[in-house]
Each structure stands twice: as structure tokens, then as C-alpha cells.
Amino acid sequence: HAESQSDEPARIISITANGTVHLDDEALSLPQLDAALAEIEQATAIRLKVDQAAAFQHFVSVLDLLRKYQLDNLSIDTESVMR
């Protein structure tokens, strides 16, 4: 298959208001996310969904891990807290 295309579906990383990080639907610590990202093909689409109430440091920590593995096929969504 072409290097610019991935056979994997998009993976979703979400950061909740309290800083919990999920990969798809699984809650992970940053070290667990680090290990999981190491297994993802570089061309895989990543959607990063960040609650607007989440601390900016959580966002930066996840971006640092994505950069570490050159996972740059990235889209970012921000979500406001529903009240």
C-alpha cells in the first residue's frame, strides 16, 4: 500500500476536563499512551478531541508524544462543556 495512506481507521485521542486521556474508548495514563502510540503507523489519521476545560499541559503532553512518534496526520477538535 502507498506510504501516504494507512489501512488503519482513524484513532481518537480524547482529553477530558479533568485531564483523563483516552485512546479510542480506553482510559490510559501518559506512559500507557506512549506505549500505545509506538505501535501506530505514522500515516494513521489521529483525531485529538480536547475538552476546553482541560489544562493546557495535558494537551501539550499528548502533542509531545504524537511528535515523538511523528504521528502528524492530526486533526484537533475542541469541545465545550455542556451545562
Side-chain angles (χ1 to χ4, degrees), residues 1-82:
H1 73 319
E3 285 186 31
S4 62
Q5 295 292 316
S6 172
D7 294 332
E8 289 189 49
R11 305 297 298 270
I12 299 172
I13 299 172
S14 55
I15 305 172
T16 64
N18 68 4
T20 303
V21 177
H22 293 82
L23 177 58
D24 300 321
D25 291 323
E26 184 179 356
L28 300 175
S29 67
L30 283 177
Q32 289 171 320
L33 180 63
D34 190 337
L37 293 179
E39 304 295 320
I40 296 176
E41 291 180 29
Q42 288 183 351
T44 300
I46 306 287
R47 287 188 58 207
L48 180 54
K49 300 170 74 173
V50 184
D51 191 296
Q52 289 179 341
F56 188 67
Q57 183 56 47
H58 298 298
F59 174 72
V60 171
S61 296
V62 171
L63 280 185
D64 285 345
L65 290 177
L66 291 170
R67 192 175 304 121
K68 175 179 177 180
Y69 296 108
Q70 299 175 339
L71 295 167
D72 53 12
N73 185 3
L74 178 66
S75 64
I76 299 172
D77 303 331
T78 56
E79 302 173 341
S80 57
V81 177
M82 302 297 287

